[in-house]
Amino acid sequence: MMEKDPLTEFSHRPDFWRFRIKADGGEYSISLRVPCWSKGVSLTVDGEKVEAKPQNGYITLIRNWAGQEIVVDFKLAIAAIQLKDSPRFAFREGPIALAGIIDREVSLNGSPDHLEAIIRPYAEREWDFWRNRFTTAGQSENFVLKYLYEIYDEQYTVYFPFS
């Protein structure tokens, strides 16, 4: 059984996705795929940290499983993805595309290699979940970015050049 943890117990916006897996039924291997967007992985079995380095994109655990809980955290980060043969970039947090809530193309000041100075997450909660919102910083005109799939009836831009 696997479930995504809503991470409601944190007092700040989490920078990882947590998954819990309950392993039953004897001796076998469990291979956990580490996605290419993950900027790091943390793993525990029944609360004990497990040092495991991904090999060929997977972490493999071999043992006699009898109801242990595996908790895996995939580190999230905002990444800039350059369009082929173009000076424009798109952004994502983990695997999810971001879109700027702005009705035209704007050039961003800064470097796509140092996004922490340009794009910052809101630290806002909406009831029991964290809002998937970001804001630009240090720009001539700052604007909000949010998950592309959450946009409805708003004008937005996905690709941005840097100046």
Side-chain angles (χ1 to χ4, degrees), residues 99-159:
I101 306 303
I102 190 162
D103 62 354
R104 66 196 172 287
E105 181 179 280
V106 294
S107 290
L108 297 175
N109 298 317
S111 168
D113 297 325
H114 299 287
L115 292 177
E116 67 282 353
I118 300 168
I119 301 174
R120 299 189 179 144
Y122 277 171
E124 292 183 10
R125 231 185 242 230
E126 189 169 312
W127 300 104
D128 66 342
F129 64 92
W130 292 95
R131 298 183 69 177
N132 299 319
R133 304 281 191 281
F134 303 85
T135 184
T136 57
Q139 306 301 308
S140 59
E141 180 181 1
N142 288 308
F143 55 91
V144 170
L145 293 109
K146 62 186 194 178
Y147 287 176
L148 181 60
Y149 74 83
E150 292 182 346
I151 294 175
Y152 175 77
D153 201 22
E154 296 175 281
Q155 293 183 335
Y156 65 92
T157 300
V158 176
Y159 304 106

Side-chain angles (χ1 to χ4, degrees), residues 6-62:
L7 302 173
T8 57
E9 70 270 20
F10 292 96
S11 60
H12 60 84
R13 187 178 188 276
D15 63 350
F16 58 90
W17 281 355
R18 173 169 290 163
F19 294 88
R20 297 177 191 275
I21 303 163
K22 188 83 162 181
D24 289 326
E27 188 169 338
Y28 56 91
S29 65
I30 294 177
S31 292
L32 304 169
R33 182 179 165 275
V34 179
C36 65
W37 52 259
S38 180
K39 300 301 180 191
V41 63
S42 173
L43 184 68
T44 63
V45 175
D46 281 345
E48 292 185 30
K49 186 159 179 64
V50 174
E51 292 297 327
K53 296 193 187 239
Q55 293 183 343
N56 298 321
Y58 289 86
I59 294 173
T60 301
L61 303 171
I62 303 170

Side-chain angles (χ1 to χ4, degrees), residues 64-98:
N64 190 359
W65 300 102
Q68 292 94 332
E69 181 182 59
I70 302 165
V71 177
V72 59
D73 294 342
F74 295 114
K75 179 122 174 86
L76 292 170
I78 296 177
I81 313 302
Q82 187 170 10
L83 294 174
K84 186 176 181 177
D85 301 326
S86 173
R88 289 173 177 74
F89 288 79
F91 303 106
R92 69 178 189 208
E93 183 189 40
I96 301 174
L98 299 177

